[in-house]
Amino acid sequence: MSALRSRPPPRVMGIVNVTPDSFSDGGRLASVEAAVAHGLRLVEQGADILDIGGESTRPGAEPVDAAEELARVLPVIKSLRARWPGPISIDAMKPAVARAAVAAGATLWNDVTALGHAPDSLATAAELGCDVVLMHMRGEPRTMQAGPRYHDVVAEVTAWLSARAAAAMAAGVARERIWLDPGLGFGKTAAHNLALTAHLDRLVATGFPVLYGASRKRVIQSVDPTATDPGDRLGGSLALALEATRAGVSILRVHDVRETVQALKLQAAVAVAARD
Ligand code: HH2
């Protein structure tokens, strides 16, 4: 309990997906408006950061071209930027998308390829000077769940992310801009995801802020087989968020902001009561 008391609570990153299947079948404008309204609702519910994504990275997802991705995310970022002063993250792997998103007001590049997608990813991050999330993924979304194997998943993910952070710094990204993420569900079995969660302290010990995203992921269904629908995974999402908080993560990437903020408040209140 003492560690929980001495640390600030993690910041909550609310997920705003602007993919055709995520919000609206009423056309582009309707889906922009729905995404902006959703983002503002998450802010009201206590989100500290909004993560805007225009390309699904779900297992099996097909890539989207940069023009289409930009057409999805830029109007949403611009509109949110005009209405809210807080940090806005672009969840994208293409440097051109990150560049345009930052020009439109994004302050953080959340890259599930840890700046490995394109030859100019590292240099672009250095030039933009924004915060950057380096996430671990084995393979690519289309194929990543085809029998992933590790000898020691915690050690391998930690070493890989440390090497990517070193590469980013060598390319000119400032140390204090770098966040690390174990990438739950990205080329990992349920057992790998649970091991990474159980040993998050090892990633926290690197000294970089750690982002953790387990919200509504399949690992929850692996433990509760009745939770086939992602909408039925709130209990598991909250349990994993609290475990990650106990381990010292700095950012939680979640769909259910209100419920996560409430769970964190209760966890903090119990930690205070434990002192009395
Ligand atoms: N998970 C998804 C997308 N982006 N970024 C980071 N840093 N960490 C994650 O764990 C992470 C991420 C999951 O992808 P998607 O299929 O788009 O679903 P959703 O965005 O609804 O979570």
Side-chain angles (χ1 to χ4, degrees):
M1 280 292 177
S2 58
L4 266 181
R5 279 206 311 269
S6 59
R7 275 195 302 260
R11 288 193 284 163
V12 174
M13 173 188 265
I15 299 167
V16 181
N17 286 319
V18 204
T19 45
D21 53 345
S22 49
F23 279 117
S24 166
D25 50 15
R28 178 85 73 206
L29 184 63
S31 85
V32 167
E33 282 171 0
V36 171
H38 183 67
L40 294 175
R41 194 158 48 238
L42 296 184
V43 167
E44 269 172 33
Q45 294 178 354
D48 302 294
I49 305 167
L50 293 177
D51 189 38
I52 319 299
E55 176 176 40
S56 177
T57 49
R58 279 191 192 88
E62 291 293 336
V64 172
D65 73 40
E68 170 62 21
E69 199 176 338
L70 283 170
R72 291 177 185 175
V73 297
L74 282 188
V76 175
I77 293 171
K78 284 182 189 159
S79 177
L80 284 170
R81 185 71 302 154
R83 292 169 167 76
W84 182 59
I88 295 178
S89 157
I90 173 68
D91 185 353
M93 55 180 96
K94 299 180 194 73
V97 173
R99 187 182 291 279
V102 168
T107 52
L108 163 65
W109 181 3
N110 173 21
D111 185 358
V112 298
T113 72
L115 302 178
H117 176 70
D120 59 336
S121 292
L122 286 163
T124 302
E127 183 199 323
L128 293 176
C130 58
D131 290 330
V132 55
V133 178
L134 304 178
M135 196 200 79
H136 178 275
M137 168 164 53
R138 178 66 71 79
E140 57 175 56
R142 213 163 35 81
T143 55
M144 65 191 176
Q145 289 305 107
R149 286 215 185 92
Y150 300 83
H151 176 63
D152 177 340
V153 68
V154 177
E156 286 169 56
V157 168
T158 305
W160 190 89
L161 286 172
S162 301
R164 290 310 295 164
M169 289 187 285
V173 178
R175 191 181 205 291
E176 60 274 16
R177 294 284 179 206
I178 297 173
W179 306 359
L180 302 183
D181 179 346
L184 253 71
F186 287 84
K188 284 140 195 137
T189 63
H192 296 141
N193 292 319
L194 293 172
L196 285 165
T197 303
H199 298 288
L200 274 170
D201 56 320
R202 302 259 294 277
L203 203 50
V204 170
T206 60
F208 292 98
V210 172
L211 186 152
Y212 177 83
S215 183
R216 299 186 183 175
K217 286 193 176 167
R218 281 187 209 175
V219 58
I220 296 163
Q221 187 190 346
S222 77
V223 175
D224 173 9
T226 69
T228 49
D229 182 334
D232 287 336
R233 297 176 188 165
L234 176 59
S237 302
L238 295 176
L240 293 171
L242 294 182
E243 289 295 330
T245 300
R246 192 172 290 284
V249 305
S250 299
I251 303 103
L252 294 168
R253 181 181 182 277
V254 304
H255 299 88
D256 302 289
V257 168
R258 184 177 189 280
E259 293 80 359
T260 305
V261 168
Q262 186 180 77
L264 290 172
K265 281 184 179 164
L266 267 293
Q267 186 182 39
V270 171
V272 168
R275 191 180 45 199
D276 303 333

